[in-house]
Amino acid sequence: MQSELSHLNEECGVFGVWGTPDAAFLTYTGLFALQHRGQEGAGITINDDGQLRTKRGLGLLNDVFNAADLEQLQGQAAIGHVRYSTAGSNLLENIQPLPFNFSDTQFALAHNGNLTNAETIRKNLEDRGAIYHSSSDSENLMHLIRLSKATTLDEQVKDALRTIKGGFAYLLLTKDRLYAALDPNGFRPLVVGKLPNGGFVVCSETCALDAVGATFFCDVQPGQLLRIDESGLSISAYTTDTQLAICSMEFIYFARPDSDIYGVNVHSARKRMGALLAKEQPVEADLVTGVPNSSLSAAMGYAQESGLPYEMGLIKNQYSARTFIQPTQKLREQGVNMKLSAVKGVVAGKRVVLVDDSIVRGTTSRRIVKLLKDAGAAEVHLRIASPALKYPCFYGIDIQHASELIAANQTLAEMRQTFGADSLGFLSVPSLIKAVGLNTGAPNGSLCVAYFDGKYPTPLYDYQEQYDQEQEKLRRRDEPKHVTTSSY
Ligand code: AMP
């Protein structure tokens, strides 16, 4: 099943705070540190003595909020959201937090992730009379909470959490408490911090804790429901059927390098990915360069391991947003041009190892190889610090169709040719797992690597049919097109 709904709520950032007089300002500051997780919309809901008020809008945080807005949003608790969406879903009604005003109470909801049974739930609930305010899958949780027959709000929330499937880090603000919940696989990151004044913060990444002066308290574990209120923080489990499978793309690309996920620093993990890539995919060359900013850590690791000089072969215009985060392919392509330039004085006449963190559609790779060649590079050896993305993801990153993924459609040799590179090599899945180095005992080093190997840690629910059809289409092609991890 594939519709508008399933395109919503991709990678986003959430931030919540409880028990501090400057809640709106801290939420703004925390969201600013999470801006890399979504740039198409932002919002804050404040709890002002039991009254919830929401301001949200399209664009970057600074497009939506000015100093006067923050002045007006006075309160002791708040939740906020930065949103990443894809074509067609850029509607104000979908910008989070989603506010709900019932006759007896108010709620606000912020969600990072993607639900895999959202359409089924919505259809069932609409058949029973539910009226949705948005086309966002996140809204399901609210309807399920309201329809639960349990007698306490805690149990209603748990009931609802047991019904939804997929990837989710949820924040729910009410008049007298803040809930935070993580899906049973912990696909999305979610951490808790403490403010010096005793207040609590729950947010997507530790970089936002640092930004607001909070100290790290704990990672939220898969299947947990946290409740923060006047009496402090209490943690319970809404399910014990859990297994950590954190999205490996968080380590590869999404998260900020200064964040730690389950105790692993993201920059250091990327450096190890680069170092293992140098071991697996060595090449004779004069220098190593990265693609600012997301692959710089991996490029450093490659350079250190290979003994080649690390150079600044490409620079990024500081004033452009991430290129993938654009609604259309044409804009994406224009975005790459506006964003990156080659440093001729560095690369002219040189054999360059160009390290990027990942390849999705291949747009960036084509551009960056050409940029270096146009600047006079003698050879460009493209090295990717992650395995080839061959399968879609349904847990909250924006790759829902195999048809979008160049590695699902071209062999390694074809891709090398498409990019105009002199050679091309990817990191292997075992090396990715080793580089991250999480040792919780869960399969695949506690990572989700389904987009590399097609082995999903959960049923796909509403997406199964679409997935089967797409895979069947790929199978029916003349010859197997999937790449190996060896270089070409
Ligand atoms: P593409 O140009 O489509 O191949 O996109 C690849 C680039 O986008 C990589 O260099 C990454 O830095 C970045 N990227 C990788 N995965 C994603 C994703 N799921 N969402 C947004 N950006 C991504």
Side-chain angles (χ1 to χ4, degrees), residues 11 84 249 253-254 291 294-295 322-325 329 332 336 339 356-365 368 389 397-399 404 406:
E11 200 67 14
Y84 171 149
M249 285 304 289
Y253 169 74
F254 282 117
V291 189
S294 54
S295 79
R322 282 187 171 192
T323 51
F324 193 101
I325 304 176
Q329 180 68 6
R332 265 181 218 115
V336 178
K339 183 167 122 172
D356 203 356
D357 54 85
S358 55
I359 294 178
V360 183
R361 296 172 176 87
T363 314
T364 310
S365 303
I368 54 183
L389 281 162
I397 62 172
D398 182 23
I399 48 169
E404 303 173 312
I406 190 164

PDB file of all heavy atoms in Angstrom, residues 11 84 249 253-254 291 294-295 322-325 329 332 336 339 356-365 368 389 397-399 404 406, ligand 1:
ATOM      1  N   GLU A  11      12.692  11.441   8.538  1.00  0.00           N
ATOM      2  CA  GLU A  11      13.659  11.825   9.557  1.00  0.00           C
ATOM      3  C   GLU A  11      13.344  13.208  10.105  1.00  0.00           C
ATOM      4  O   GLU A  11      13.308  14.184   9.380  1.00  0.00           O
ATOM      5  CB  GLU A  11      15.035  11.847   8.890  1.00  0.00           C
ATOM      6  CG  GLU A  11      16.166  11.765   9.816  1.00  0.00           C
ATOM      7  CD  GLU A  11      16.236  10.443  10.514  1.00  0.00           C
ATOM      8  OE1 GLU A  11      15.559   9.491  10.100  1.00  0.00           O
ATOM      9  OE2 GLU A  11      16.970  10.380  11.490  1.00  0.00           O
ATOM     10  N   TYR A  84      11.190  17.136   8.388  1.00  0.00           N
ATOM     11  CA  TYR A  84      11.739  16.802   7.084  1.00  0.00           C
ATOM     12  C   TYR A  84      10.588  16.136   6.341  1.00  0.00           C
ATOM     13  O   TYR A  84      10.035  15.159   6.818  1.00  0.00           O
ATOM     14  CB  TYR A  84      12.871  15.826   7.315  1.00  0.00           C
ATOM     15  CG  TYR A  84      13.506  15.134   6.135  1.00  0.00           C
ATOM     16  CD1 TYR A  84      14.849  14.791   6.192  1.00  0.00           C
ATOM     17  CD2 TYR A  84      12.799  14.777   4.996  1.00  0.00           C
ATOM     18  CE1 TYR A  84      15.464  14.134   5.151  1.00  0.00           C
ATOM     19  CE2 TYR A  84      13.408  14.128   3.946  1.00  0.00           C
ATOM     20  CZ  TYR A  84      14.741  13.807   4.036  1.00  0.00           C
ATOM     21  OH  TYR A  84      15.337  13.150   2.995  1.00  0.00           O
ATOM     22  N   MET A 249      21.832   4.316   9.430  1.00  0.00           N
ATOM     23  CA  MET A 249      22.003   5.593   8.713  1.00  0.00           C
ATOM     24  C   MET A 249      22.152   6.765   9.688  1.00  0.00           C
ATOM     25  O   MET A 249      22.655   7.812   9.310  1.00  0.00           O
ATOM     26  CB  MET A 249      20.829   5.849   7.759  1.00  0.00           C
ATOM     27  CG  MET A 249      20.864   5.012   6.491  1.00  0.00           C
ATOM     28  SD  MET A 249      22.383   5.164   5.506  1.00  0.00           S
ATOM     29  CE  MET A 249      22.226   6.820   4.837  1.00  0.00           C
ATOM     30  N   TYR A 253      25.033   8.940   8.400  1.00  0.00           N
ATOM     31  CA  TYR A 253      24.727  10.234   7.792  1.00  0.00           C
ATOM     32  C   TYR A 253      23.931  11.204   8.650  1.00  0.00           C
ATOM     33  O   TYR A 253      24.262  12.380   8.734  1.00  0.00           O
ATOM     34  CB  TYR A 253      23.973   9.995   6.474  1.00  0.00           C
ATOM     35  CG  TYR A 253      23.372  11.248   5.896  1.00  0.00           C
ATOM     36  CD1 TYR A 253      24.180  12.203   5.291  1.00  0.00           C
ATOM     37  CD2 TYR A 253      21.999  11.486   5.977  1.00  0.00           C
ATOM     38  CE1 TYR A 253      23.629  13.376   4.776  1.00  0.00           C
ATOM     39  CE2 TYR A 253      21.449  12.654   5.464  1.00  0.00           C
ATOM     40  CZ  TYR A 253      22.266  13.587   4.864  1.00  0.00           C
ATOM     41  OH  TYR A 253      21.729  14.730   4.369  1.00  0.00           O
ATOM     42  N   PHE A 254      22.825  10.724   9.278  1.00  0.00           N
ATOM     43  CA  PHE A 254      21.865  11.681   9.831  1.00  0.00           C
ATOM     44  C   PHE A 254      22.352  12.454  11.039  1.00  0.00           C
ATOM     45  O   PHE A 254      22.209  13.665  11.119  1.00  0.00           O
ATOM     46  CB  PHE A 254      20.556  10.974  10.210  1.00  0.00           C
ATOM     47  CG  PHE A 254      19.715  10.690   9.028  1.00  0.00           C
ATOM     48  CD1 PHE A 254      19.407   9.397   8.673  1.00  0.00           C
ATOM     49  CD2 PHE A 254      19.232  11.727   8.246  1.00  0.00           C
ATOM     50  CE1 PHE A 254      18.643   9.131   7.553  1.00  0.00           C
ATOM     51  CE2 PHE A 254      18.465  11.469   7.131  1.00  0.00           C
ATOM     52  CZ  PHE A 254      18.178  10.170   6.788  1.00  0.00           C
ATOM     53  N   VAL A 291      33.418  14.989   1.327  1.00  0.00           N
ATOM     54  CA  VAL A 291      32.363  15.844   0.788  1.00  0.00           C
ATOM     55  C   VAL A 291      31.741  16.573   1.984  1.00  0.00           C
ATOM     56  O   VAL A 291      31.059  15.942   2.787  1.00  0.00           O
ATOM     57  CB  VAL A 291      31.287  15.020   0.050  1.00  0.00           C
ATOM     58  CG1 VAL A 291      30.320  15.928  -0.693  1.00  0.00           C
ATOM     59  CG2 VAL A 291      31.920  14.019  -0.888  1.00  0.00           C
ATOM     60  N   SER A 294      29.065  16.007   5.649  1.00  0.00           N
ATOM     61  CA  SER A 294      28.692  14.720   6.237  1.00  0.00           C
ATOM     62  C   SER A 294      29.755  13.633   6.110  1.00  0.00           C
ATOM     63  O   SER A 294      29.746  12.686   6.883  1.00  0.00           O
ATOM     64  CB  SER A 294      27.361  14.236   5.664  1.00  0.00           C
ATOM     65  OG  SER A 294      27.428  14.216   4.264  1.00  0.00           O
ATOM     66  N   SER A 295      30.667  13.721   5.132  1.00  0.00           N
ATOM     67  CA  SER A 295      31.631  12.619   5.003  1.00  0.00           C
ATOM     68  C   SER A 295      33.030  12.989   5.489  1.00  0.00           C
ATOM     69  O   SER A 295      33.976  12.221   5.289  1.00  0.00           O
ATOM     70  CB  SER A 295      31.687  12.131   3.558  1.00  0.00           C
ATOM     71  OG  SER A 295      32.466  12.995   2.779  1.00  0.00           O
ATOM     72  N   ARG A 322      21.005  21.185   3.279  1.00  0.00           N
ATOM     73  CA  ARG A 322      21.359  19.880   2.730  1.00  0.00           C
ATOM     74  C   ARG A 322      20.633  19.636   1.421  1.00  0.00           C
ATOM     75  O   ARG A 322      19.430  19.834   1.329  1.00  0.00           O
ATOM     76  CB  ARG A 322      20.983  18.773   3.724  1.00  0.00           C
ATOM     77  CG  ARG A 322      21.962  18.665   4.841  1.00  0.00           C
ATOM     78  CD  ARG A 322      21.638  17.471   5.688  1.00  0.00           C
ATOM     79  NE  ARG A 322      22.720  17.263   6.630  1.00  0.00           N
ATOM     80  CZ  ARG A 322      22.866  16.166   7.361  1.00  0.00           C
ATOM     81  NH1 ARG A 322      21.999  15.205   7.256  1.00  0.00           N
ATOM     82  NH2 ARG A 322      23.875  16.033   8.176  1.00  0.00           N
ATOM     83  N   THR A 323      21.346  19.148   0.418  1.00  0.00           N
ATOM     84  CA  THR A 323      20.755  19.062  -0.908  1.00  0.00           C
ATOM     85  C   THR A 323      19.702  17.970  -1.037  1.00  0.00           C
ATOM     86  O   THR A 323      18.784  18.098  -1.811  1.00  0.00           O
ATOM     87  CB  THR A 323      21.837  18.786  -1.955  1.00  0.00           C
ATOM     88  OG1 THR A 323      22.576  17.676  -1.513  1.00  0.00           O
ATOM     89  CG2 THR A 323      22.706  19.984  -2.141  1.00  0.00           C
ATOM     90  N   PHE A 324      19.865  16.877  -0.309  1.00  0.00           N
ATOM     91  CA  PHE A 324      18.893  15.792  -0.433  1.00  0.00           C
ATOM     92  C   PHE A 324      17.536  16.289   0.048  1.00  0.00           C
ATOM     93  O   PHE A 324      16.492  15.863  -0.434  1.00  0.00           O
ATOM     94  CB  PHE A 324      19.365  14.610   0.430  1.00  0.00           C
ATOM     95  CG  PHE A 324      18.630  13.335   0.161  1.00  0.00           C
ATOM     96  CD1 PHE A 324      19.191  12.356  -0.626  1.00  0.00           C
ATOM     97  CD2 PHE A 324      17.369  13.132   0.686  1.00  0.00           C
ATOM     98  CE1 PHE A 324      18.525  11.186  -0.870  1.00  0.00           C
ATOM     99  CE2 PHE A 324      16.689  11.964   0.457  1.00  0.00           C
ATOM    100  CZ  PHE A 324      17.277  10.998  -0.325  1.00  0.00           C
ATOM    101  N   ILE A 325      17.595  17.225   0.985  1.00  0.00           N
ATOM    102  CA  ILE A 325      16.360  17.686   1.603  1.00  0.00           C
ATOM    103  C   ILE A 325      15.735  18.778   0.744  1.00  0.00           C
ATOM    104  O   ILE A 325      15.727  19.944   1.084  1.00  0.00           O
ATOM    105  CB  ILE A 325      16.624  18.101   3.058  1.00  0.00           C
ATOM    106  CG1 ILE A 325      17.251  16.913   3.785  1.00  0.00           C
ATOM    107  CG2 ILE A 325      15.354  18.530   3.758  1.00  0.00           C
ATOM    108  CD1 ILE A 325      17.673  17.153   5.183  1.00  0.00           C
ATOM    109  N   GLN A 329      13.591  16.326  -7.699  1.00  0.00           N
ATOM    110  CA  GLN A 329      14.901  15.920  -8.221  1.00  0.00           C
ATOM    111  C   GLN A 329      15.609  17.117  -8.872  1.00  0.00           C
ATOM    112  O   GLN A 329      16.809  17.297  -8.724  1.00  0.00           O
ATOM    113  CB  GLN A 329      14.718  14.771  -9.220  1.00  0.00           C
ATOM    114  CG  GLN A 329      15.988  14.246  -9.840  1.00  0.00           C
ATOM    115  CD  GLN A 329      16.897  13.529  -8.842  1.00  0.00           C
ATOM    116  OE1 GLN A 329      16.537  13.310  -7.685  1.00  0.00           O
ATOM    117  NE2 GLN A 329      18.098  13.197  -9.278  1.00  0.00           N
ATOM    118  N   ARG A 332      16.998  19.222  -6.277  1.00  0.00           N
ATOM    119  CA  ARG A 332      18.137  18.517  -5.685  1.00  0.00           C
ATOM    120  C   ARG A 332      19.377  18.725  -6.536  1.00  0.00           C
ATOM    121  O   ARG A 332      20.451  19.013  -6.058  1.00  0.00           O
ATOM    122  CB  ARG A 332      17.854  17.020  -5.634  1.00  0.00           C
ATOM    123  CG  ARG A 332      17.309  16.572  -4.324  1.00  0.00           C
ATOM    124  CD  ARG A 332      17.068  15.081  -4.345  1.00  0.00           C
ATOM    125  NE  ARG A 332      15.860  14.820  -3.620  1.00  0.00           N
ATOM    126  CZ  ARG A 332      14.757  14.326  -4.129  1.00  0.00           C
ATOM    127  NH1 ARG A 332      14.714  13.980  -5.391  1.00  0.00           N
ATOM    128  NH2 ARG A 332      13.706  14.165  -3.389  1.00  0.00           N
ATOM    129  N   VAL A 336      22.890  20.740  -5.503  1.00  0.00           N
ATOM    130  CA  VAL A 336      24.265  20.249  -5.434  1.00  0.00           C
ATOM    131  C   VAL A 336      25.201  21.271  -6.067  1.00  0.00           C
ATOM    132  O   VAL A 336      26.275  21.544  -5.553  1.00  0.00           O
ATOM    133  CB  VAL A 336      24.383  18.872  -6.115  1.00  0.00           C
ATOM    134  CG1 VAL A 336      25.821  18.380  -6.081  1.00  0.00           C
ATOM    135  CG2 VAL A 336      23.483  17.870  -5.434  1.00  0.00           C
ATOM    136  N   LYS A 339      25.830  24.193  -3.882  1.00  0.00           N
ATOM    137  CA  LYS A 339      26.383  23.855  -2.579  1.00  0.00           C
ATOM    138  C   LYS A 339      27.896  23.644  -2.586  1.00  0.00           C
ATOM    139  O   LYS A 339      28.587  24.082  -1.685  1.00  0.00           O
ATOM    140  CB  LYS A 339      25.670  22.583  -2.123  1.00  0.00           C
ATOM    141  CG  LYS A 339      26.026  22.076  -0.774  1.00  0.00           C
ATOM    142  CD  LYS A 339      25.024  21.020  -0.363  1.00  0.00           C
ATOM    143  CE  LYS A 339      25.728  19.724  -0.073  1.00  0.00           C
ATOM    144  NZ  LYS A 339      24.846  18.724   0.504  1.00  0.00           N
ATOM    145  N   ASP A 356      32.705   9.624   0.198  1.00  0.00           N
ATOM    146  CA  ASP A 356      31.382  10.133   0.587  1.00  0.00           C
ATOM    147  C   ASP A 356      30.767   9.132   1.572  1.00  0.00           C
ATOM    148  O   ASP A 356      31.179   7.979   1.638  1.00  0.00           O
ATOM    149  CB  ASP A 356      30.473  10.354  -0.620  1.00  0.00           C
ATOM    150  CG  ASP A 356      29.367  11.388  -0.308  1.00  0.00           C
ATOM    151  OD1 ASP A 356      29.288  11.840   0.857  1.00  0.00           O
ATOM    152  OD2 ASP A 356      28.592  11.714  -1.214  1.00  0.00           O
ATOM    153  N   ASP A 357      29.765   9.614   2.332  1.00  0.00           N
ATOM    154  CA  ASP A 357      29.209   8.743   3.370  1.00  0.00           C
ATOM    155  C   ASP A 357      28.248   7.708   2.794  1.00  0.00           C
ATOM    156  O   ASP A 357      28.135   6.594   3.310  1.00  0.00           O
ATOM    157  CB  ASP A 357      28.505   9.567   4.455  1.00  0.00           C
ATOM    158  CG  ASP A 357      27.478  10.497   3.871  1.00  0.00           C
ATOM    159  OD1 ASP A 357      26.336  10.063   3.644  1.00  0.00           O
ATOM    160  OD2 ASP A 357      27.815  11.663   3.611  1.00  0.00           O
ATOM    161  N   SER A 358      27.510   8.062   1.742  1.00  0.00           N
ATOM    162  CA  SER A 358      26.518   7.123   1.192  1.00  0.00           C
ATOM    163  C   SER A 358      26.090   7.569  -0.193  1.00  0.00           C
ATOM    164  O   SER A 358      26.299   8.718  -0.579  1.00  0.00           O
ATOM    165  CB  SER A 358      25.284   7.063   2.107  1.00  0.00           C
ATOM    166  OG  SER A 358      24.774   8.363   2.295  1.00  0.00           O
ATOM    167  N   ILE A 359      25.488   6.629  -0.920  1.00  0.00           N
ATOM    168  CA  ILE A 359      24.899   6.965  -2.225  1.00  0.00           C
ATOM    169  C   ILE A 359      23.444   6.532  -2.188  1.00  0.00           C
ATOM    170  O   ILE A 359      23.144   5.376  -1.862  1.00  0.00           O
ATOM    171  CB  ILE A 359      25.622   6.234  -3.374  1.00  0.00           C
ATOM    172  CG1 ILE A 359      27.056   6.745  -3.503  1.00  0.00           C
ATOM    173  CG2 ILE A 359      24.862   6.442  -4.691  1.00  0.00           C
ATOM    174  CD1 ILE A 359      27.866   6.045  -4.585  1.00  0.00           C
ATOM    175  N   VAL A 360      22.536   7.450  -2.501  1.00  0.00           N
ATOM    176  CA  VAL A 360      21.122   7.113  -2.543  1.00  0.00           C
ATOM    177  C   VAL A 360      20.693   7.056  -4.018  1.00  0.00           C
ATOM    178  O   VAL A 360      20.706   6.001  -4.642  1.00  0.00           O
ATOM    179  CB  VAL A 360      20.282   8.121  -1.734  1.00  0.00           C
ATOM    180  CG1 VAL A 360      18.803   7.694  -1.731  1.00  0.00           C
ATOM    181  CG2 VAL A 360      20.791   8.231  -0.302  1.00  0.00           C
ATOM    182  N   ARG A 361      20.390   8.212  -4.575  1.00  0.00           N
ATOM    183  CA  ARG A 361      19.983   8.226  -5.989  1.00  0.00           C
ATOM    184  C   ARG A 361      21.190   8.332  -6.925  1.00  0.00           C
ATOM    185  O   ARG A 361      21.072   8.118  -8.127  1.00  0.00           O
ATOM    186  CB  ARG A 361      19.054   9.400  -6.240  1.00  0.00           C
ATOM    187  CG  ARG A 361      17.756   9.316  -5.476  1.00  0.00           C
ATOM    188  CD  ARG A 361      16.993  10.624  -5.640  1.00  0.00           C
ATOM    189  NE  ARG A 361      15.689  10.559  -5.007  1.00  0.00           N
ATOM    190  CZ  ARG A 361      15.456  10.841  -3.728  1.00  0.00           C
ATOM    191  NH1 ARG A 361      16.455  11.226  -2.955  1.00  0.00           N
ATOM    192  NH2 ARG A 361      14.240  10.776  -3.223  1.00  0.00           N
ATOM    193  N   GLY A 362      22.301   8.784  -6.376  1.00  0.00           N
ATOM    194  CA  GLY A 362      23.510   8.932  -7.188  1.00  0.00           C
ATOM    195  C   GLY A 362      23.715  10.347  -7.714  1.00  0.00           C
ATOM    196  O   GLY A 362      24.701  10.617  -8.398  1.00  0.00           O
ATOM    197  N   THR A 363      22.806  11.237  -7.411  1.00  0.00           N
ATOM    198  CA  THR A 363      22.899  12.620  -7.903  1.00  0.00           C
ATOM    199  C   THR A 363      24.200  13.274  -7.432  1.00  0.00           C
ATOM    200  O   THR A 363      24.930  13.870  -8.232  1.00  0.00           O
ATOM    201  CB  THR A 363      21.712  13.457  -7.355  1.00  0.00           C
ATOM    202  OG1 THR A 363      20.525  12.706  -7.510  1.00  0.00           O
ATOM    203  CG2 THR A 363      21.597  14.781  -8.065  1.00  0.00           C
ATOM    204  N   THR A 364      24.470  13.148  -6.134  1.00  0.00           N
ATOM    205  CA  THR A 364      25.648  13.810  -5.567  1.00  0.00           C
ATOM    206  C   THR A 364      26.925  13.237  -6.171  1.00  0.00           C
ATOM    207  O   THR A 364      27.824  13.992  -6.566  1.00  0.00           O
ATOM    208  CB  THR A 364      25.667  13.622  -4.029  1.00  0.00           C
ATOM    209  OG1 THR A 364      24.399  13.993  -3.516  1.00  0.00           O
ATOM    210  CG2 THR A 364      26.741  14.464  -3.380  1.00  0.00           C
ATOM    211  N   SER A 365      26.987  11.908  -6.256  1.00  0.00           N
ATOM    212  CA  SER A 365      28.216  11.275  -6.759  1.00  0.00           C
ATOM    213  C   SER A 365      28.548  11.755  -8.175  1.00  0.00           C
ATOM    214  O   SER A 365      29.696  12.064  -8.480  1.00  0.00           O
ATOM    215  CB  SER A 365      28.067   9.756  -6.756  1.00  0.00           C
ATOM    216  OG  SER A 365      27.764   9.312  -5.467  1.00  0.00           O
ATOM    217  N   ILE A 368      29.887  15.398  -7.886  1.00  0.00           N
ATOM    218  CA  ILE A 368      31.174  15.652  -7.227  1.00  0.00           C
ATOM    219  C   ILE A 368      32.337  15.069  -8.028  1.00  0.00           C
ATOM    220  O   ILE A 368      33.407  15.675  -8.075  1.00  0.00           O
ATOM    221  CB  ILE A 368      31.196  15.150  -5.760  1.00  0.00           C
ATOM    222  CG1 ILE A 368      30.796  13.695  -5.642  1.00  0.00           C
ATOM    223  CG2 ILE A 368      30.349  16.052  -4.868  1.00  0.00           C
ATOM    224  CD1 ILE A 368      30.727  13.161  -4.215  1.00  0.00           C
ATOM    225  N   LEU A 389      23.204   1.017  -0.787  1.00  0.00           N
ATOM    226  CA  LEU A 389      21.779   1.065  -0.388  1.00  0.00           C
ATOM    227  C   LEU A 389      20.941   0.435  -1.498  1.00  0.00           C
ATOM    228  O   LEU A 389      20.733   1.035  -2.546  1.00  0.00           O
ATOM    229  CB  LEU A 389      21.351   2.516  -0.195  1.00  0.00           C
ATOM    230  CG  LEU A 389      21.750   3.208   1.108  1.00  0.00           C
ATOM    231  CD1 LEU A 389      21.651   4.715   0.965  1.00  0.00           C
ATOM    232  CD2 LEU A 389      20.856   2.733   2.245  1.00  0.00           C
ATOM    233  N   ILE A 397      13.378   6.858   7.229  1.00  0.00           N
ATOM    234  CA  ILE A 397      14.297   7.639   6.405  1.00  0.00           C
ATOM    235  C   ILE A 397      13.728   7.649   4.996  1.00  0.00           C
ATOM    236  O   ILE A 397      13.013   6.754   4.601  1.00  0.00           O
ATOM    237  CB  ILE A 397      15.763   7.134   6.442  1.00  0.00           C
ATOM    238  CG1 ILE A 397      15.906   5.725   5.900  1.00  0.00           C
ATOM    239  CG2 ILE A 397      16.317   7.227   7.856  1.00  0.00           C
ATOM    240  CD1 ILE A 397      17.350   5.280   5.744  1.00  0.00           C
ATOM    241  N   ASP A 398      14.074   8.687   4.279  1.00  0.00           N
ATOM    242  CA  ASP A 398      13.352   8.976   3.055  1.00  0.00           C
ATOM    243  C   ASP A 398      13.803   8.128   1.865  1.00  0.00           C
ATOM    244  O   ASP A 398      14.206   8.648   0.830  1.00  0.00           O
ATOM    245  CB  ASP A 398      13.524  10.467   2.747  1.00  0.00           C
ATOM    246  CG  ASP A 398      12.755  10.877   1.515  1.00  0.00           C
ATOM    247  OD1 ASP A 398      11.787  10.176   1.165  1.00  0.00           O
ATOM    248  OD2 ASP A 398      13.139  11.873   0.887  1.00  0.00           O
ATOM    249  N   ILE A 399      13.773   6.828   2.005  1.00  0.00           N
ATOM    250  CA  ILE A 399      14.048   5.957   0.853  1.00  0.00           C
ATOM    251  C   ILE A 399      13.026   4.821   0.869  1.00  0.00           C
ATOM    252  O   ILE A 399      13.268   3.763   1.401  1.00  0.00           O
ATOM    253  CB  ILE A 399      15.500   5.420   0.846  1.00  0.00           C
ATOM    254  CG1 ILE A 399      15.925   4.856   2.213  1.00  0.00           C
ATOM    255  CG2 ILE A 399      16.476   6.476   0.401  1.00  0.00           C
ATOM    256  CD1 ILE A 399      17.244   4.084   2.169  1.00  0.00           C
ATOM    257  N   GLU A 404      14.208   4.213  -6.518  1.00  0.00           N
ATOM    258  CA  GLU A 404      14.973   5.454  -6.296  1.00  0.00           C
ATOM    259  C   GLU A 404      16.451   5.184  -6.059  1.00  0.00           C
ATOM    260  O   GLU A 404      17.255   6.103  -6.083  1.00  0.00           O
ATOM    261  CB  GLU A 404      14.478   6.163  -5.024  1.00  0.00           C
ATOM    262  CG  GLU A 404      13.029   6.514  -4.985  1.00  0.00           C
ATOM    263  CD  GLU A 404      12.626   7.049  -3.609  1.00  0.00           C
ATOM    264  OE1 GLU A 404      12.982   6.431  -2.583  1.00  0.00           O
ATOM    265  OE2 GLU A 404      11.966   8.080  -3.587  1.00  0.00           O
ATOM    266  N   ILE A 406      20.002   3.915  -6.724  1.00  0.00           N
ATOM    267  CA  ILE A 406      20.808   3.575  -7.905  1.00  0.00           C
ATOM    268  C   ILE A 406      21.448   2.198  -7.751  1.00  0.00           C
ATOM    269  O   ILE A 406      21.531   1.443  -8.726  1.00  0.00           O
ATOM    270  CB  ILE A 406      21.849   4.686  -8.216  1.00  0.00           C
ATOM    271  CG1 ILE A 406      22.483   4.430  -9.575  1.00  0.00           C
ATOM    272  CG2 ILE A 406      22.868   4.866  -7.128  1.00  0.00           C
ATOM    273  CD1 ILE A 406      23.218   5.595 -10.178  1.00  0.00           C
TER     274      ILE A 406
HETATM  275  P1  AMP B   1      22.161  11.077  -3.617  1.00  0.00           P
HETATM  276  O1  AMP B   1      22.709  12.299  -4.219  1.00  0.00           O
HETATM  277  O2  AMP B   1      20.705  10.897  -3.884  1.00  0.00           O
HETATM  278  O3  AMP B   1      22.955   9.843  -3.935  1.00  0.00           O
HETATM  279  O4  AMP B   1      22.218  11.283  -2.029  1.00  0.00           O
HETATM  280  C1  AMP B   1      23.396  10.945  -1.361  1.00  0.00           C
HETATM  281  C2  AMP B   1      23.784  12.013  -0.382  1.00  0.00           C
HETATM  282  O5  AMP B   1      22.703  12.423   0.434  1.00  0.00           O
HETATM  283  C3  AMP B   1      24.844  11.409   0.476  1.00  0.00           C
HETATM  284  O6  AMP B   1      26.058  12.001   0.127  1.00  0.00           O
HETATM  285  C4  AMP B   1      24.423  11.711   1.907  1.00  0.00           C
HETATM  286  O7  AMP B   1      25.264  12.729   2.419  1.00  0.00           O
HETATM  287  C5  AMP B   1      23.002  12.193   1.807  1.00  0.00           C
HETATM  288  N1  AMP B   1      22.014  11.170   2.283  1.00  0.00           N
HETATM  289  C6  AMP B   1      22.157   9.859   2.388  1.00  0.00           C
HETATM  290  N2  AMP B   1      21.005   9.260   2.786  1.00  0.00           N
HETATM  291  C7  AMP B   1      20.115  10.217   2.940  1.00  0.00           C
HETATM  292  C8  AMP B   1      18.740  10.236   3.330  1.00  0.00           C
HETATM  293  N3  AMP B   1      18.056   9.120   3.592  1.00  0.00           N
HETATM  294  N4  AMP B   1      18.140  11.441   3.422  1.00  0.00           N
HETATM  295  C9  AMP B   1      18.810  12.552   3.138  1.00  0.00           C
HETATM  296  N5  AMP B   1      20.073  12.589   2.727  1.00  0.00           N
HETATM  297  C10 AMP B   1      20.745  11.439   2.623  1.00  0.00           C
END
